[in-house]
Amino acid sequence: MALTREQLAMRVARELQDGYYVNLGIGIPTLVANYVPAGMAVMLQSENGLLGMGPFPTEAQVDADMINAGKQTVTAVTGASIFSSVESFAMIRGGHVDLTVLGAFEVDVHGNIASWMIPGKLVKGMGGAMDLVAGADNIIVTMTHASKNGESKLLPQCTLPLTGAACIRKVVTDLAYVEIAGGSFHLKERAPGVSVDEIVAKTAGEMTVPEVVPEMTF
Amino acid sequence: MSGFDKVVPDYATALDGLRDNMTIIAGGFGLCGIPEGCIARIKQMGTKGLTVVSNNCGVDGFGLGILLEDRQIKKMVSSYVGENALFEQQLLAGELEVELTPQGTLAEKMRAGGAGIPAFYTATGYGTPVGEGKEVREFNGRQYILEQAIRGDFAIVKGWKADRYGNVVYRHTAQNFNPMAATAGQITVVEVEEIVEPGELDPTQIHTPGIYVDRLIQGSFEKRIEQRTVRTA
């Protein structure tokens, strides 16, 4: 069975470490915050200028001056800090954020990522995604392995305009956990009940498959 | 008004000198921390052909979105736009130009503009459409593109409190692009929720020192929320 959105977030959450500063993108990445292991402290960075993002406010706590990068009302945790956009991106571009999780349309065997623009469709913008992928050392891309039409999103070469070049090394899809190195996708784990053959069939880029591919457990 | 007193009596005075085809740098992120009064005044003035540098362009009927209604904006320099139907319509009709700029690069362009730095190298956007046509240089084995600073004829900024000398503090995430915008205007207009006397704000807590501020005005703010997300208590 392919992973649910929640399972995908749970798998990504296993990459968290105590004391990490983490930036979570919109969509599945946001769900990762729900699965921080017990006893572990992480601080969420929101690129509009908040380090230490908390849960959504109660009705009584709603404050128009307190939002996240998705423009949603949020709270700040104890020990949070709030700052300008330039300070926020100094953290991001300076490589101070320990882990960045974001979605994508495509990744390729060279670690390129395309996540912001589909030619012919209205382009709304890249927001902070180009800064995040250029600045972070440790990035996890979350996405479905293939499109609804069955077309692979793990490619020999991205076809869409890039968000960043040669910057992605880890991808968690609904079918597998894959690392990118040496111009190849390295299959590290598979979703429960999903065969290696299915993953290979749905991976357009070159894939390196070890003899044993452990199954994820939840 | 005398000496360092930056307070002006009304928005007409605050935006005096704004003309067609000028560049305006605006603070704000989404609808958070936007200079509502200045935007309303620009709408009223009917100034046209504006280039507006702002992370976003408001929504239909609020924020910078209201300047689209009479086609006052010629060009937006933003990281994320199109939360409004009117924007999309004018963009597709070729009536509006957009220069999409990565968010961190946009913030840095404003900072550099205000700090007298004409351009800077960044890895952001290298190998992407953003880097096309830009100078590339290698530092320590990595490729960087040259991005140019931005300055505006006007900067419009929303603060929380300021003293009469124009020392400003921002509230929570309404800070966002405002401090950089404040440095990058030929004329910087700051509107705040409360003006206090010099000495009432702690000098160590000032976000924008008064040297950057030309005109300060007391505003009133709707503070519309774009995505109201709540949890049950």
Side-chain angles (χ1 to χ4, degrees), chain B:
Chain B
M1 273 214 303
S2 66
F4 296 107
D5 191 341
K6 309 289 174 74
V7 178
V8 296
D10 50 42
Y11 279 98
T13 312
L15 288 167
D16 184 41
L18 181 69
R19 306 268 179 267
D20 289 354
N21 304 312
M22 280 187 165
T23 294
I24 297 173
I25 300 188
F29 184 94
L31 301 180
C32 183
I34 58 172
E36 296 180 24
C38 284
I39 294 168
R41 172 62 191 165
I42 295 166
K43 163 107 174 145
Q44 193 185 23
M45 289 169 77
T47 319
K48 296 246 198 294
L50 296 171
T51 295
V52 179
V53 183
S54 166
N55 191 55
N56 315 94
C57 190
V59 296
D60 285 317
F62 197 70
L64 288 168
I66 66 172
L67 301 184
L68 298 169
E69 293 165 4
D70 300 316
R71 295 184 164 71
Q72 291 176 263
I73 301 176
K74 179 182 69 181
K75 179 179 176 180
M76 284 300 302
V77 181
S78 306
S79 86
Y80 195 83
V81 291
E83 298 292 9
N84 26 17
L86 198 52
F87 190 99
E88 187 174 334
Q89 190 186 313
Q90 292 183 15
L91 184 65
L92 294 173
E95 297 167 344
L96 180 64
E97 192 187 334
V98 181
E99 185 177 325
L100 289 173
T101 305
Q103 200 173 128
T105 295
L106 186 64
E108 194 66 21
K109 277 171 171 265
M110 292 184 194
R111 191 195 79 83
I117 297 165
F120 56 92
Y121 286 100
T122 177
T124 301
Y126 171 74
T128 78
V130 167
E132 281 168 19
K134 289 176 183 157
E135 184 186 321
V136 175
R137 190 164 160 189
E138 186 179 309
F139 295 92
N140 303 318
R142 196 165 178 209
Q143 305 297 317
Y144 296 81
I145 58 173
L146 188 67
E147 291 278 11
Q148 294 196 22
I150 298 182
R151 286 186 67 92
D153 298 295
F154 274 80
I156 55 175
V157 169
K158 194 274 169 179
W160 177 30
K161 294 180 186 178
D163 66 26
R164 289 181 159 273
Y165 290 0
N167 295 305
V168 185
V169 292
Y170 305 95
R171 185 170 176 276
H172 299 337
T173 61
Q175 180 171 169
N176 56 62
F177 282 86
N178 281 296
M180 285 77 69
T183 67
Q186 193 61 41
I187 295 173
T188 290
V189 181
V190 179
E191 52 181 77
V192 293
E193 295 174 43
E194 186 183 354
I195 296 176
V196 301
E197 292 305 315
E200 289 188 40
L201 299 175
D202 181 349
T204 64
Q205 302 293 323
I206 301 297
H207 292 121
T208 293
I211 193 169
Y212 296 110
V213 178
D214 299 289
R215 301 170 187 174
L216 176 66
I217 185 164
Q218 168 87 56
S220 63
F221 301 88
E222 179 186 331
K223 293 196 186 180
R224 195 178 290 186
I225 292 173
E226 208 163 335
Q227 306 276 348
R228 189 186 189 88
T229 45
V230 295
R231 68 189 149 101
T232 45

Side-chain angles (χ1 to χ4, degrees), chain A residues 184-198:
Chain A
S184 174
F185 294 116
H186 295 257
L187 182 56
K188 294 289 177 185
E189 295 171 27
R190 57 197 170 90
V194 173
S195 71
V196 169
D197 287 348
E198 180 184 349

Side-chain angles (χ1 to χ4, degrees), chain A residues 151-203:
Chain A
E151 288 165 30
S152 179
K153 297 180 179 180
L154 281 69
L155 305 174
Q157 186 82 49
C158 286
T159 61
L160 297 168
L162 297 186
T163 307
C167 51
I168 306 301
R169 291 199 293 269
K170 296 174 184 172
V171 184
V172 179
T173 75
D174 55 340
L175 303 183
Y177 170 56
V178 170
E179 291 182 0
I180 303 172
S184 174
F185 294 116
H186 295 257
L187 182 56
K188 294 289 177 185
E189 295 171 27
R190 57 197 170 90
V194 173
S195 71
V196 169
D197 287 348
E198 180 184 349
I199 295 165
V200 170
K202 288 183 174 168
T203 305

